[in-house]
Structure formats: C-alpha cells, structure tokens
C-alpha cells in the first residue's frame, strides 16, 4: 500500500478552514468539494489513457483519452457523497457506484448495508471516497469488497488520515494494489475513535446530525 500526502499551500489553507469549529455546513461542503478536486488531481496522475487521433483547426495530431473500461468512483455513504461532485468534476466520464457502510460506535467495526456497483471490476481503476481514514476498518472493508469484484487498482481519497488507520490498512491490505491520497496524516485517534486534531464528524458537519 502506498500513501500520498498532498503538500500544497491551497490544500493546507482549505483544510485549516475545514478544521475550524466555526465553519458552518454550507461553507464546509463547498470547501470539502474544492479540496477533493485538488486531491483528485494528484490521485489521477496514473489514470489509464489511450492515444487518439484528431484534427485541430491547424493540423492533424495525436492526443489521449481515458481508456476503457472507464474509471469507477465509489463514495462511501453518507459522508462520501459530499466528495462526489469534486471528484466527478475532474473525471466527468467516470461511472459512479455506491457503497453504504456503517460503523458500530462501540466495537468500531464496519458493516455493509447497501451496494450499487458492477459485479465485475476486472481491469477497472477504482477511486473510493471517504472523508476520514480513522480506525481504518471502513476503508479496509470497502476495498476488500472492490478487490473481491476484481478491481486491480484502487485509490482511496480521504480528507484526513490517522496513523492508526494507515497502519491497519498497511497490515490488512499488504500486497494489495492500493493507494491512499490525503491532505494530512494527523496525530492520533482519541478514545472514541475520532481523529485528533481532526475536524469532527465529517458527515455531521456536511449534512447536520439528522438520522
């Protein structure tokens, strides 16, 4: 497993505002959307392309386009939905699947309650969207689901990561074709499984506490 922390002043600036408890939900959603686009730019450096012939207003030339099968973007419900627009803005021709997962707040174990993805992901680059890599259990379960369907190149895009979550993924997904792209790896998890200093519960800050 590879982890890539995006070191860019605009990433750090947006992340700082996301961390601020005074940032309201509309502003949080907008900044998260912008931050995801910046992270997605780095995450798609190795997106697969194929040559294509075309004619400009001046002459014939050769360019590139995304290869088939198209990449698949998979937000983890519900907070991952807040990252979808930022990702598809950069990859508008990608297909979108959905994976619903919930974490037991006592055991911190993740379980799946809904899936909407192709059964066969062979040969497809897949991008998983989950704002927080905290304990790592949710992402490990999600990525195992994708690899079980044949995905051979999985990139997880997270706003923040904790060292404990990174360590779990490295241990549980050793040898798997996985990359994590994040804006920062924070200090630690607290006793409730939240990232410190973190930014709180990303889903609640995007959408409120209803549900």
């Amino acid at each position: 497993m590879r982890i890539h922390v995006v070191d860019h002043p605009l990433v750090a600036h947006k992340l700082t505002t996301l961390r601020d408890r005074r940032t309201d939900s509309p502003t949080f959603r907008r900044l998260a959307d912008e931050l995801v686009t910046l992270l997605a730019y780095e995450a798609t450096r190795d997106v697969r392309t194929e040559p294509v012939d075309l004619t400009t207003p001046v002459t014939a030339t050769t360019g590139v386009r995304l290869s088939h099968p198209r990449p698949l973007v998979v937000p983890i419900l519900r907070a991952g939905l807040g990252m979808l627009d930022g990702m598809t803005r950069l990859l508008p021709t990608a297909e979108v699947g959905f994976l619903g997962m919930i974490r037991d707040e006592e055991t911190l174990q993740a379980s799946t309650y809904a899936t909407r993805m192709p059964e066969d992901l062979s040969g497809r680059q897949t991008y998983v969207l989950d704002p927080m890599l905290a304990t790592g259990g949710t992402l490990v379960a999600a990525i195992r689901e994708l690899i079980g369907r044949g995905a051979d190149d999985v990139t997880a895009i997270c706003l923040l990561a904790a060292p404990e979550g990174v360590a779990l993924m490295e241990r549980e997904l050793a040898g798997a074709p996985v990359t994590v792209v994040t804006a920062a790896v924070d200090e630690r998890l607290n006793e409730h499984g939240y990232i410190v200093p973190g930014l709180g519960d990303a889903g609640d800050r995007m959408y409120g506490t209803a549900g």
Side-chain angles (χ1 to χ4, degrees):
M1 193 194 85
R2 298 182 299 162
I3 182 159
H4 176 43
V5 179
V6 179
D7 182 15
H8 191 285
L10 288 179
V11 169
H13 167 72
K14 295 179 189 301
L15 180 58
T16 297
T17 307
L18 289 175
R19 291 188 191 276
D20 193 331
R21 63 185 300 176
R22 297 170 298 179
T23 300
D24 60 23
S25 288
T27 305
F28 191 97
R29 286 195 298 270
R30 176 178 59 81
L31 287 172
D33 177 79
E34 294 171 0
L35 180 54
V36 170
T37 298
L38 294 174
L39 297 178
Y41 180 81
E42 294 293 332
T44 54
R45 281 188 178 275
D46 296 323
V47 69
R48 295 168 186 161
T49 60
E50 60 190 19
V52 58
D53 295 326
L54 71 151
T55 302
T56 76
V58 179
T59 187
T61 189
T62 301
V64 298
R65 64 184 175 195
L66 295 184
S67 301
H68 288 278
R70 299 292 189 192
L72 181 71
V73 177
V74 182
I76 297 179
L77 305 178
R78 71 175 168 151
L81 282 177
M83 303 172 68
L84 182 57
D85 286 348
M87 185 70 188
T88 55
R89 182 177 299 113
L90 208 62
L91 281 178
T93 60
E95 293 185 3
V96 178
F98 295 95
L99 187 57
M101 307 197 78
I102 190 167
R103 186 180 74 163
D104 186 300
E105 294 304 324
E106 293 185 2
T107 66
L108 303 182
Q109 297 300 307
S111 59
T112 302
Y113 65 85
T115 57
R116 181 71 174 180
M117 293 185 296
E119 288 297 326
D120 185 7
L121 297 178
S122 300
R124 300 191 75 163
Q125 287 180 293
T126 307
Y127 297 89
V128 185
L129 308 180
D130 193 16
M132 312 298 282
L133 171 50
T135 63
T138 298
L139 266 180
V140 166
I143 291 171
R144 281 177 172 164
E145 175 76 22
L146 297 172
I147 292 175
R149 294 176 184 235
D152 65 353
D153 188 332
V154 180
T155 299
I157 301 175
C158 307
L159 303 182
L160 279 181
E164 295 91 334
V166 172
L168 181 76
M169 290 189 67
E170 289 175 336
R171 184 169 65 251
E172 297 294 326
L173 299 172
V178 177
T179 301
V180 174
V181 177
T182 185
V185 177
D186 274 7
E187 296 173 12
R188 59 184 174 86
L189 295 178
N190 66 15
E191 64 275 16
H192 302 294
Y194 283 90
I195 299 175
V196 179
L199 49 77
D201 185 299
D204 287 351
R205 296 199 63 194
M206 286 180 186
Y207 303 119
T209 57

